[in-house]
Amino acid sequence: VLLAVYVVYVGLGAAVLQALERPAEVQAAQQLLQEHWELLANHTCLQGPALQRLIEGIIQAYKSGITLQGNTTSLGRWDYSGSFFFSISAITTIGYGNLSPSTAIGRIFCIVFALFGIPLNLVLLNEIGQLMLLGVQHCACRLEEVFHWQNKASFLMKTCALVTGLLLFLLLPPLLFSDKEGWSYEEGFYYSFITLSTIGFGDYVIGMNPDRTYPGWYKNVISLWILFGMAWLALVIKFCINLLE
């Protein structure tokens, strides 16, 4: 029965996503083809195969973090702060997919690094989650002692913890992303949940816009936000699991 519910749930999700996203995909494909043929028609010196190779080269360069800026190229995804953020996204299993090692030795190191880093990350998240629970339980006990509440104190503290987590990890960060990335609030909220839930589609990633200047503390603060936010969201998901079971 559980497997049947799971399959039906995923099937319904697929049907809704197809209805919502398929028309936009078809429209984008038609527009791309139209621009491609218009470019070839307006610039007869261009050859179709040569243009195709150029497009593929641009796509590959973009995957490596290189973009054209006039007569120069932008670098910076593999500086220390970018590498640190990649390391965080690797061991937290977010895996945005917008950046990956291109050298053989880099890929081998990434495998070894993740092999030991993922368990280390899980242990740390578990400890942070336990500390959060202990803090909530301690505050609930203090309320029970002072106000002689019993069930009310536990419910009140859990509600406060939920609201505080929502503010710190989901509702307020989009304001920062709007300022630093130029995203809308909805895009920032979407990025926050997709990141903290470790889904990590990679369609929105911080610090990747070559036209913007980011402060040095930005990626470090976001890394801490990811760490503590994942621990908080894991507790919320665990609570949802208990309800389902």
Side-chain angles (χ1 to χ4, degrees):
V1 171
L2 184 61
L3 179 60
V5 172
Y6 180 87
V7 172
V8 170
Y9 185 80
V10 174
L12 287 174
V16 172
L17 286 171
Q18 181 184 18
L20 294 175
E21 299 296 331
R22 183 65 175 178
E25 180 188 33
V26 172
Q27 182 180 0
Q30 292 174 347
Q31 183 178 356
L32 177 63
L33 281 175
Q34 182 180 355
E35 292 177 354
H36 177 266
W37 291 117
E38 287 179 356
L39 182 64
L40 289 177
N42 295 331
H43 301 81
T44 54
C45 59
L46 286 176
Q47 299 295 323
L51 178 61
Q52 185 65 29
R53 288 194 297 271
L54 175 62
I55 293 173
E56 292 174 355
I58 292 173
I59 293 173
Q60 188 60 42
Y62 181 77
K63 289 181 179 179
S64 301
I66 302 171
T67 57
L68 287 173
Q69 292 181 318
N71 294 325
T72 62
T73 56
S74 66
L75 299 173
R77 290 192 179 186
W78 285 114
D79 57 9
Y80 187 79
S81 62
S83 301
F84 185 85
F85 189 73
F86 172 80
S87 300
I88 289 287
S89 66
I91 66 174
T92 54
T93 68
I94 296 174
Y96 290 114
N98 69 309
L99 188 62
S100 58
S102 59
T103 62
I105 189 66
R107 291 167 181 163
I108 294 172
F109 173 77
C110 189
I111 293 172
V112 177
F113 180 74
L115 186 63
F116 293 97
I118 291 173
L120 176 63
N121 177 73
L122 292 175
V123 170
L124 178 60
L125 289 181
N126 182 63
E127 290 297 322
I128 293 175
Q130 292 300 320
L131 286 175
M132 289 179 176
L133 281 177
L134 287 175
V136 171
Q137 293 170 357
H138 177 74
C139 292
C141 290
R142 293 293 298 171
L143 285 177
E144 289 178 2
E145 293 175 359
V146 175
F147 298 101
H148 303 290
W149 293 341
Q150 294 181 353
N151 295 331
K152 290 183 179 180
S154 178
F155 176 77
L156 179 62
M157 289 311 304
K158 288 179 180 178
T159 303
C160 289
L162 178 62
V163 172
T164 302
L166 281 172
L167 286 173
L168 289 178
F169 302 121
L170 289 178
L171 298 179
L172 293 180
L175 299 177
L176 176 63
F177 300 141
S178 297
D179 178 58
K180 300 301 180 184
E181 304 290 342
W183 299 341
S184 67
Y185 185 86
E186 177 270 329
E187 290 172 329
F189 184 83
Y190 167 80
Y191 167 79
S192 299
F193 181 80
I194 293 300
T195 295
L196 297 185
S197 60
T198 72
I199 296 173
F201 288 127
D203 48 352
Y204 289 91
V205 184
I206 62 138
M208 296 299 173
N209 190 342
D211 298 325
R212 288 183 172 267
T213 302
Y214 300 99
W217 53 265
Y218 182 52
K219 287 186 177 180
N220 297 329
V221 169
I222 297 303
S223 298
L224 289 176
W225 166 76
I226 289 175
L227 194 60
F228 286 92
M230 283 180 60
W232 171 81
L233 190 59
L235 292 177
V236 175
I237 293 175
K238 184 179 179 180
F239 176 72
C240 295
I241 291 173
N242 292 335
L243 287 179
L244 288 174
E245 289 181 342

